[in-house]
Amino acid sequence: MKMGRLDVKMFKIKNRRGFAAVCKDCLTEGQSREEAFARMVKAITRLEKKIRKK
């Protein structure tokens, strides 16, 4: 999946229920692909705010 200019890698977690998303040194988990992606959007937003603040 893509989020703006960033690539988000989605995969099924082995030995667990749910999916994970990895992008820009962030890892998020969710019960569905959509939930993992939504959490990734929030994580990247927080990360970019932190970078802009410096």
Side-chain angles (χ1 to χ4, degrees), residues 15-40:
N15 299 327
R16 284 190 177 188
R17 291 189 337 218
F19 292 86
V22 177
C23 178
K24 206 173 182 180
D25 294 333
C26 293
L27 171 72
T28 59
E29 297 179 9
Q31 293 293 320
S32 65
R33 288 180 181 269
E34 293 79 19
E35 184 179 1
F37 185 75
R39 290 180 179 193
M40 180 55 69

Side-chain angles (χ1 to χ4, degrees), residues 3 6 24-29 36-54:
M3 182 175 56
L6 302 172
K24 206 173 182 180
D25 294 333
C26 293
L27 171 72
T28 59
E29 297 179 9
F37 185 75
R39 290 180 179 193
M40 180 55 69
V41 171
K42 291 178 187 177
I44 294 297
T45 303
R46 280 193 305 266
L47 184 65
E48 288 179 348
K49 279 184 185 178
K50 196 175 192 181
I51 290 171
R52 274 190 252 135
K53 195 172 183 179
K54 287 184 179 181

Side-chain angles (χ1 to χ4, degrees), residues 10-21:
M10 306 284 293
F11 57 92
K12 174 82 173 93
I13 303 171
K14 288 186 178 184
N15 299 327
R16 284 190 177 188
R17 291 189 337 218
F19 292 86

